[in-house]
Amino acid sequence: MKEKIIEKANDMFLNLGFKSVTMDDLASEMGMSKKTIYTHFQNKTKLVEATTDHLFCSICDGINGILDQKHDPIEELYAIKAFVMNHLKNEKTAPLHQLEKYYPHIHQGLKTKQFEIFQDCVVDNLKRGIEKGVFRKNIDIQFISRIYFIGSVGIKNKNMFPEHMFPVGKLMDDYLEYHILGITTEKGRKILNTLIKEDQI
């Protein structure tokens, strides 16, 4: 039952927002009493914490599955982007904004864990890209991995990137292309151009 509550809460939070969904809403949606939910979660904060942990683990498992497939490094970045976008309901802005505003401690903890996983993943991707000749040999791997993470977080700032001007899907595509173009070789650029064309079909 606890898993079912987490899964339903996850779906509702991502679609409607962490603040917008109440325990009453969740109970009604699941056809159970609010008291039943409270037997598993002391309060809504505990539920939000469990839900974000569950989501984080699911995304990590999915990314690890992609990494195991040993794609070309540039193709791998596109595969990860597509998976994450799909898993986060195309990165709807309201839920993430509400998580940061109303549950800052949870948001910060999640961000720290994201960086740790992101760093390992991107550093490995950059090293393999250099070995395969699709990324330039003279790039500073530690600098690139960190600036890429900061940018990934920064483009979610809706004051800087209002959604009516920067639709989320296109913004993510443009940022990934910007990242790759800054580090790629001629060989890598050919792969990138092919992926961009395939994305547009």
Side-chain angles (χ1 to χ4, degrees):
M1 179 56 72
K2 188 173 184 179
E3 271 305 303
K4 287 183 178 178
I5 294 172
I6 289 174
E7 287 173 10
K8 175 54 73 174
N10 179 63
D11 186 58
M12 293 180 73
F13 286 151
L14 287 181
N15 277 294
L16 303 169
F18 287 91
K19 176 67 173 177
S20 302
V21 176
T22 66
M23 296 296 253
D24 285 315
D25 293 331
L26 179 59
S28 175
E29 188 72 20
M30 295 194 72
M32 63 174 61
S33 70
K34 194 162 60 169
K35 185 178 178 182
T36 303
I37 297 175
Y38 281 121
T39 61
H40 296 284
F41 301 98
Q42 184 181 350
N43 50 48
K44 186 181 172 185
T45 299
K46 292 293 183 185
L47 176 60
V48 170
E49 198 169 40
T51 303
T52 53
D53 281 345
H54 172 78
L55 180 61
F56 179 77
C57 290
S58 296
I59 290 174
C60 286
D61 288 345
I63 290 174
N64 285 333
I66 293 170
L67 298 179
D68 288 343
Q69 294 173 35
K70 301 297 180 186
H71 290 288
D72 167 88
I74 295 176
E75 291 176 349
E76 182 177 275
L77 290 172
Y78 269 83
I80 290 172
K81 182 214 70 172
F83 170 78
V84 172
M85 288 286 289
N86 181 59
H87 221 71
L88 292 181
K89 312 293 184 186
N90 288 325
E91 287 262 12
K92 288 185 178 178
T93 56
L96 298 172
H97 175 71
Q98 288 186 10
L99 183 66
E100 182 176 11
K101 183 175 181 180
Y102 298 104
Y103 302 94
H105 179 70
I106 295 174
H107 179 266
Q108 186 56 50
L110 191 62
K111 194 171 167 184
T112 300
K113 288 195 292 186
Q114 280 178 332
F115 174 71
E116 290 168 358
I117 297 295
F118 187 98
Q119 181 74 351
D120 288 344
C121 178
V122 174
V123 166
D124 177 70
N125 180 272
L126 291 170
K127 286 179 178 177
R128 286 190 297 107
I130 292 171
E131 288 170 7
K132 289 180 175 292
V134 297
F135 297 151
R136 290 185 286 108
K137 290 181 180 178
N138 64 339
I139 61 173
D140 184 328
I141 289 176
Q142 289 299 322
F143 171 76
I144 296 295
S145 62
R146 284 167 165 75
I147 204 74
Y148 184 39
F149 178 77
I150 290 171
S152 304
V153 173
I155 62 172
K156 293 171 187 172
N157 183 325
K158 293 305 152 188
N159 291 322
M160 293 297 294
F161 297 96
E163 201 162 357
H164 69 279
M165 291 176 63
F166 302 94
V168 177
K170 187 174 187 309
L171 184 60
M172 296 288 282
D173 284 340
D174 288 348
Y175 181 63
L176 181 55
E177 184 180 334
Y178 173 83
H179 165 69
I180 295 170
L181 282 173
I183 60 177
T184 194
T185 60
E186 191 59 41
K187 178 182 176 182
R189 188 167 294 203
K190 288 176 183 175
I191 295 170
L192 175 63
N193 288 339
T194 300
L195 289 168
I196 290 172
K197 286 176 185 175
E198 289 175 356
D199 244 19
Q200 292 171 344
I201 294 174

